[in-house]
Amino acid sequence: MITLRTVSKTFSEQPVVKAVSLSIDPGEVHGIIGASGAGKSTLLRLMNLLERPDAGEVEFDGQPLMRLPERRLRHVRQEIGMIFQHFHLVSNKTVEQNVDAPLRIARVSKKERSVRVNECLRFVGLESFAGKYPAELSGGQKQRVAIARALANGPRVLLCDEPTSSLDPGTTSEILRVLQEVNRTLGVTVVLVSHEMDVIKSLCDRVTVMEDGEIRETVRIEPAGIPSIDSDAIWFLTQLTEGGGPHA
Amino acid sequence: MPDVLLQYEEEIKLAILQTFAMVGVSVLAAILLGLPLGTLLFLSRKGQLLANGFVFSSLNLLVNTIRSFPFLLLVVFLIPFTRLLLGTAIGTAAATVPLAIIAIAHYSRLVEQSLLDVPRGVIEAAVSMGASTREVVLKFLFVEARSGLVLGLTTSIVSFISYSTIMGVVGGGGIGDFAIRYGYQQFQTELMMYMILIMVVLVQLIQFAGTTLARVLDKR
Ligand SMILES: Nc1ncnc2c1ncn2[C@@H]1O[C@H](COP(=O)(O)OP(=O)(O)OP(=O)(O)O)[C@@H](O)[C@H]1O
Ligand SMILES: [Mg+2]
């Protein structure tokens, strides 16, 4: 679905992503985990060219994104939803208007837009909040609106950058359930950046471990919840789970 | 009505009209040209959507230069330009030229500042959903910054009123000029006080309207 080929990104002479290759399979939930500053967010943002790589190739569905003209790239972005730790809703727009925004950008007809907005709000269980402003919502509700917004144009992939990191444990599992629904019911491929092992374990089919801008390992998470990883990576994940990070 | 005001009724009416004309043109210039210029200042900054060091530095220098002129000097300095543009450098119409120029520079800076207050993530979210730069500006930046844009314009209008009071030097007229010529220079202190009162009321009304509108628009 998404393929990165020896992709590199440098910020002010500091390499943040170093020749990373990674392939996201259609239909999977793919976790990306690693310590703070490891380059997880940057890697995720390379997938929809929010960040342009200095070298390497980014492919979506076989199309090399970097060679697409601006207009085509914007089209492709409509097929890749994205949500963030701090939601990034427009606070001067109502819930309804926030979800409507991507539909307007995609030039969807007025009638169809209102149907889509309703569907998406119902999917995240917020149909009765349509007229409210983000400031009137809890963190979990804001993230649901963000998910509804990201789903509006019927994307095939959803990129999630620490979607639960500013939420309490109860709300976190609520949001994870919604993301699971997105994957299972709608068949959307999910890429999930997190530094919480529990989040990754509860949702992901595979997990990529990042360290210092490089991929240390990509492993499959077994249904039982025990990752089939070599001892090295288990040590690394344990460090993360205990909140220390490998360099702490 | 006090006698002095009745005595100069026609002159005062004309002066108020002149002030409204000068401030009105300034506001139009601020909105039609200052808003786009401020937006371009913001967008051409490092790390923004149209990042361009040359464009940013040039516009930045231009705006700073205009704003660093003592206003009276700017008016005098622009006389040849005004004459080129309108055929004359004297009168209310001619006075609107330097006023419009300072208005554009003044408001563009406040626009830039308001846009800088919009969380970066909102722009990112917009880009991630496939918005063009134009859509990011119109459907996200301006929506999110709208109360700041209104407050900035309010502050600007109050400054424009103040700037307009010295346009007597090029025969622009207006309330300030009337207060100086009839009130101060002819020792009619009472008349001068009334003119000041009119300005105070005008500024209060504008500030109140601006603050109220900004509050209503702000859902953050
Ligand atoms: N736009 C940028 N300009 C300069 N440096 C950046 C930029 N974005 C990220 N960096 C740097 O790149 C490194 C990796 O950042 P990134 O956000 O990808 O890490 P992360 O793994 O997501 O960390 P966290 O868990 O804290 O979110 C950091 O050192 C960060 O300071
Ligand atoms: Mg991050």
Side-chain angles (χ1 to χ4, degrees), chain A residues 11 16 35-42 162:
Chain A
F11 288 118
V16 169
S36 187
K40 309 180 293 293
S41 299
T42 307
E162 312 230 13

Side-chain angles (χ1 to χ4, degrees), chain B residues 42 45 48 111-120 141 145:
Chain B
F42 171 80
R45 262 176 183 266
Q48 298 295 346
V111 167
E112 183 198 19
Q113 235 102 72
S114 299
L115 298 182
L116 281 170
D117 281 343
V118 175
R120 237 195 127 68
L141 277 174

Side-chain angles (χ1 to χ4, degrees), chain A residues 99-112:
Chain A
V99 180
D100 191 40
L103 294 163
R104 280 173 180 270
I105 288 167
R107 308 260 188 280
V108 176
S109 76
K110 195 171 173 195
K111 212 169 124 197
E112 215 173 313

